Tab-separated table of all heavy atoms in Angstrom:
chain	number	residue	atom	x	y	z
A	1	ASN	N	-47.335	155.154	19.884
A	1	ASN	CA	-48.576	154.435	19.587
A	1	ASN	C	-49.761	155.383	19.421
A	1	ASN	O	-50.591	155.194	18.530
A	1	ASN	CB	-48.864	153.407	20.678
A	1	ASN	CG	-47.890	152.262	20.640
A	1	ASN	OD1	-47.199	152.047	19.652
A	1	ASN	ND2	-47.802	151.517	21.724
A	2	ILE	N	-49.836	156.400	20.265
A	2	ILE	CA	-50.923	157.376	20.138
A	2	ILE	C	-50.781	158.153	18.836
A	2	ILE	O	-51.766	158.387	18.128
A	2	ILE	CB	-50.949	158.317	21.362
A	2	ILE	CG1	-51.397	157.525	22.595
A	2	ILE	CG2	-51.870	159.506	21.122
A	2	ILE	CD1	-51.270	158.276	23.898
A	3	SER	N	-49.559	158.522	18.480
A	3	SER	CA	-49.318	159.241	17.224
A	3	SER	C	-49.698	158.385	16.022
A	3	SER	O	-50.325	158.873	15.072
A	3	SER	CB	-47.849	159.654	17.106
A	3	SER	OG	-47.485	160.490	18.160
A	4	LEU	N	-49.334	157.117	16.048
A	4	LEU	CA	-49.679	156.217	14.948
A	4	LEU	C	-51.187	156.006	14.866
A	4	LEU	O	-51.741	155.912	13.773
A	4	LEU	CB	-48.962	154.877	15.111
A	4	LEU	CG	-47.452	154.907	14.896
A	4	LEU	CD1	-46.842	153.544	15.196
A	4	LEU	CD2	-47.114	155.342	13.485
A	5	LEU	N	-51.848	155.932	16.017
A	5	LEU	CA	-53.307	155.787	16.029
A	5	LEU	C	-53.967	157.005	15.393
A	5	LEU	O	-54.841	156.856	14.531
A	5	LEU	CB	-53.812	155.596	17.465
A	5	LEU	CG	-55.333	155.563	17.623
A	5	LEU	CD1	-55.895	154.277	17.052
A	5	LEU	CD2	-55.724	155.710	19.084
A	6	ILE	N	-53.544	158.190	15.779
A	6	ILE	CA	-54.128	159.411	15.227
A	6	ILE	C	-53.859	159.509	13.725
A	6	ILE	O	-54.762	159.826	12.939
A	6	ILE	CB	-53.607	160.647	15.984
A	6	ILE	CG1	-54.168	160.647	17.416
A	6	ILE	CG2	-53.973	161.936	15.257
A	6	ILE	CD1	-53.540	161.663	18.333
A	7	LEU	N	-52.625	159.220	13.306
A	7	LEU	CA	-52.285	159.236	11.882
A	7	LEU	C	-53.117	158.216	11.106
A	7	LEU	O	-53.674	158.514	10.044
A	7	LEU	CB	-50.795	158.966	11.691
A	7	LEU	CG	-50.310	158.859	10.246
A	7	LEU	CD1	-50.498	160.194	9.522
A	7	LEU	CD2	-48.853	158.422	10.211
A	8	SER	N	-53.218	157.020	11.658
A	8	SER	CA	-53.963	155.948	11.017
A	8	SER	C	-55.432	156.319	10.828
A	8	SER	O	-55.992	156.151	9.743
A	8	SER	CB	-53.835	154.675	11.866
A	8	SER	OG	-54.711	153.691	11.429
A	9	GLU	N	-56.041	156.841	11.875
A	9	GLU	CA	-57.467	157.166	11.796
A	9	GLU	C	-57.703	158.391	10.919
A	9	GLU	O	-58.726	158.475	10.240
A	9	GLU	CB	-58.042	157.361	13.193
A	9	GLU	CG	-57.891	156.143	14.097
A	9	GLU	CD	-58.116	154.813	13.409
A	9	GLU	OE1	-59.209	154.596	12.832
A	9	GLU	OE2	-57.202	153.969	13.422
A	10	ALA	N	-56.765	159.335	10.915
A	10	ALA	CA	-56.889	160.491	10.021
A	10	ALA	C	-56.824	160.041	8.568
A	10	ALA	O	-57.589	160.529	7.718
A	10	ALA	CB	-55.795	161.508	10.319
A	11	LEU	N	-55.925	159.105	8.258
A	11	LEU	CA	-55.840	158.559	6.900
A	11	LEU	C	-57.138	157.860	6.503
A	11	LEU	O	-57.639	158.042	5.392
A	11	LEU	CB	-54.676	157.569	6.790
A	11	LEU	CG	-53.282	158.149	6.750
A	11	LEU	CD1	-52.240	157.041	6.855
A	11	LEU	CD2	-53.078	158.939	5.467
A	12	LYS	N	-57.672	157.054	7.418
A	12	LYS	CA	-58.884	156.306	7.087
A	12	LYS	C	-60.070	157.239	6.912
A	12	LYS	O	-60.781	157.171	5.906
A	12	LYS	CB	-59.195	155.271	8.165
A	12	LYS	CG	-60.386	154.400	7.789
A	12	LYS	CD	-60.538	153.232	8.694
A	12	LYS	CE	-61.563	152.265	8.145
A	12	LYS	NZ	-61.645	151.066	8.961
A	13	ILE	N	-60.292	158.107	7.884
A	13	ILE	CA	-61.439	159.011	7.797
A	13	ILE	C	-61.306	159.923	6.581
A	13	ILE	O	-62.266	160.114	5.829
A	13	ILE	CB	-61.580	159.820	9.102
A	13	ILE	CG1	-61.975	158.887	10.252
A	13	ILE	CG2	-62.605	160.933	8.949
A	13	ILE	CD1	-61.887	159.520	11.622
A	14	GLY	N	-60.100	160.448	6.368
A	14	GLY	CA	-59.878	161.316	5.217
A	14	GLY	C	-60.119	160.618	3.889
A	14	GLY	O	-60.770	161.159	2.995
A	15	SER	N	-59.605	159.400	3.757
A	15	SER	CA	-59.782	158.679	2.494
A	15	SER	C	-61.239	158.299	2.266
A	15	SER	O	-61.734	158.347	1.140
A	15	SER	CB	-58.891	157.433	2.443
A	15	SER	OG	-59.308	156.472	3.381
A	16	LEU	N	-61.948	157.938	3.332
A	16	LEU	CA	-63.356	157.569	3.172
A	16	LEU	C	-64.230	158.782	2.851
A	16	LEU	O	-65.156	158.686	2.041
A	16	LEU	CB	-63.863	156.856	4.425
A	16	LEU	CG	-63.254	155.476	4.679
A	16	LEU	CD1	-63.770	154.890	5.977
A	16	LEU	CD2	-63.501	154.534	3.515
A	17	ILE	N	-63.920	159.917	3.455
A	17	ILE	CA	-64.675	161.132	3.129
A	17	ILE	C	-64.386	161.551	1.692
A	17	ILE	O	-65.296	161.935	0.954
A	17	ILE	CB	-64.346	162.254	4.133
A	17	ILE	CG1	-64.956	161.919	5.495
A	17	ILE	CG2	-64.849	163.603	3.637
A	17	ILE	CD1	-64.563	162.861	6.604
A	18	TYR	N	-63.128	161.441	1.274
A	18	TYR	CA	-62.760	161.764	-0.107
A	18	TYR	C	-63.532	160.879	-1.083
A	18	TYR	O	-64.109	161.361	-2.058
A	18	TYR	CB	-61.254	161.593	-0.312
A	18	TYR	CG	-60.835	161.707	-1.753
A	18	TYR	CD1	-60.677	162.947	-2.352
A	18	TYR	CD2	-60.607	160.569	-2.526
A	18	TYR	CE1	-60.310	163.065	-3.680
A	18	TYR	CE2	-60.245	160.669	-3.854
A	18	TYR	CZ	-60.096	161.915	-4.426
A	18	TYR	OH	-59.733	162.008	-5.755
A	19	VAL	N	-63.543	159.586	-0.810
A	19	VAL	CA	-64.233	158.645	-1.696
A	19	VAL	C	-65.735	158.928	-1.711
A	19	VAL	O	-66.373	158.883	-2.761
A	19	VAL	CB	-63.946	157.183	-1.270
A	19	VAL	CG1	-64.898	156.215	-1.914
A	19	VAL	CG2	-62.519	156.819	-1.620
A	20	ALA	N	-66.305	159.212	-0.545
A	20	ALA	CA	-67.739	159.479	-0.476
A	20	ALA	C	-68.114	160.725	-1.276
A	20	ALA	O	-69.173	160.769	-1.904
A	20	ALA	CB	-68.171	159.634	0.975
A	21	LYS	N	-67.244	161.734	-1.276
A	21	LYS	CA	-67.547	162.970	-1.998
A	21	LYS	C	-67.228	162.876	-3.481
A	21	LYS	O	-68.006	163.318	-4.324
A	21	LYS	CB	-66.769	164.141	-1.391
A	21	LYS	CG	-67.327	164.591	-0.065
A	21	LYS	CD	-66.579	165.804	0.441
A	21	LYS	CE	-67.185	166.290	1.743
A	21	LYS	NZ	-66.486	167.492	2.240
A	22	LYS	N	-66.079	162.307	-3.824
A	22	LYS	CA	-65.618	162.300	-5.219
A	22	LYS	C	-66.142	161.121	-6.030
A	22	LYS	O	-66.229	161.196	-7.244
A	22	LYS	CB	-64.078	162.286	-5.268
A	22	LYS	CG	-63.445	163.495	-4.649
A	22	LYS	CD	-63.687	164.718	-5.493
A	22	LYS	CE	-62.968	165.903	-4.864
A	22	LYS	NZ	-63.200	167.128	-5.555
A	23	HIS	N	-66.443	160.024	-5.361
A	23	HIS	CA	-66.887	158.816	-6.067
A	23	HIS	C	-68.132	158.257	-5.391
A	23	HIS	O	-68.085	157.190	-4.774
A	23	HIS	CB	-65.779	157.757	-6.069
A	23	HIS	CG	-64.513	158.232	-6.685
A	23	HIS	ND1	-64.333	158.304	-8.036
A	23	HIS	CD2	-63.365	158.689	-6.127
A	23	HIS	CE1	-63.125	158.772	-8.287
A	23	HIS	NE2	-62.512	159.014	-7.152
A	24	PRO	N	-69.245	158.956	-5.498
A	24	PRO	CA	-70.461	158.463	-4.836
A	24	PRO	C	-70.927	157.150	-5.450
A	24	PRO	O	-70.584	156.821	-6.588
A	24	PRO	CB	-71.475	159.579	-5.061
A	24	PRO	CG	-70.971	160.337	-6.234
A	24	PRO	CD	-69.479	160.178	-6.240
A	25	ILE	N	-71.705	156.442	-4.682
A	25	ILE	CA	-72.198	155.146	-5.125
A	25	ILE	C	-73.273	155.368	-6.170
A	25	ILE	O	-74.210	156.142	-5.978
A	25	ILE	CB	-72.780	154.350	-3.948
A	25	ILE	CG1	-71.665	154.105	-2.941
A	25	ILE	CG2	-73.409	153.057	-4.401
A	25	ILE	CD1	-72.156	153.652	-1.610
A	26	LYS	N	-73.124	154.676	-7.297
A	26	LYS	CA	-74.102	154.767	-8.360
A	26	LYS	C	-75.040	153.572	-8.241
A	26	LYS	O	-74.610	152.432	-8.348
A	26	LYS	CB	-73.415	154.781	-9.719
A	26	LYS	CG	-72.548	156.010	-9.912
A	26	LYS	CD	-71.789	155.941	-11.205
A	26	LYS	CE	-70.864	157.139	-11.284
A	26	LYS	NZ	-69.890	157.014	-12.338
A	27	ARG	N	-76.282	153.851	-8.001
A	27	ARG	CA	-77.279	152.790	-7.840
A	27	ARG	C	-77.839	152.396	-9.204
A	27	ARG	O	-78.167	153.241	-10.031
A	27	ARG	CB	-78.441	153.271	-6.962
A	27	ARG	CG	-78.018	153.742	-5.614
A	27	ARG	CD	-78.130	152.610	-4.689
A	27	ARG	NE	-77.500	152.997	-3.432
A	27	ARG	CZ	-77.654	152.344	-2.346
A	27	ARG	NH1	-78.397	151.285	-2.322
A	27	ARG	NH2	-77.055	152.715	-1.259
A	28	ASP	N	-77.927	151.091	-9.394
A	28	ASP	CA	-78.572	150.592	-10.604
A	28	ASP	C	-80.071	150.597	-10.390
A	28	ASP	O	-80.554	150.650	-9.277
A	28	ASP	CB	-78.114	149.161	-10.916
A	28	ASP	CG	-76.647	149.106	-11.315
A	28	ASP	OD1	-76.125	150.140	-11.754
A	28	ASP	OD2	-76.046	148.029	-11.179
A	29	GLU	N	-80.797	150.503	-11.459
A	29	GLU	CA	-82.262	150.417	-11.357
A	29	GLU	C	-82.676	149.189	-10.561
A	29	GLU	O	-83.577	149.229	-9.773
A	29	GLU	CB	-82.880	150.354	-12.761
A	29	GLU	CG	-82.732	151.628	-13.561
A	29	GLU	CD	-83.617	152.739	-13.030
A	29	GLU	OE1	-84.727	152.441	-12.557
A	29	GLU	OE2	-83.201	153.910	-13.065
A	30	SER	N	-81.951	148.089	-10.758
A	30	SER	CA	-82.309	146.838	-10.072
A	30	SER	C	-82.040	146.925	-8.573
A	30	SER	O	-82.733	146.294	-7.790
A	30	SER	CB	-81.520	145.662	-10.671
A	30	SER	OG	-80.124	145.894	-10.498
């Protein structure tokens, strides 16, 4: 369970950091 928790959170944090860096949010004028 601890191993799955660490793997799970590493996947989430890694994917979110990847998305934040590679695909930043584009704000519209509105």
Side-chain angles (χ1 to χ4, degrees):
N1 290 343
I2 291 171
S3 300
L4 290 175
L5 175 71
I6 291 169
L7 176 64
S8 170
E9 301 321 302
L11 286 171
K12 185 169 190 175
I13 292 169
S15 68
L16 292 177
I17 289 173
Y18 171 80
V19 165
K21 286 184 177 181
K22 298 290 183 183
H23 302 281
I25 298 165
K26 296 175 184 167
R27 303 266 170 166
D28 292 337
E29 292 289 326
S30 61

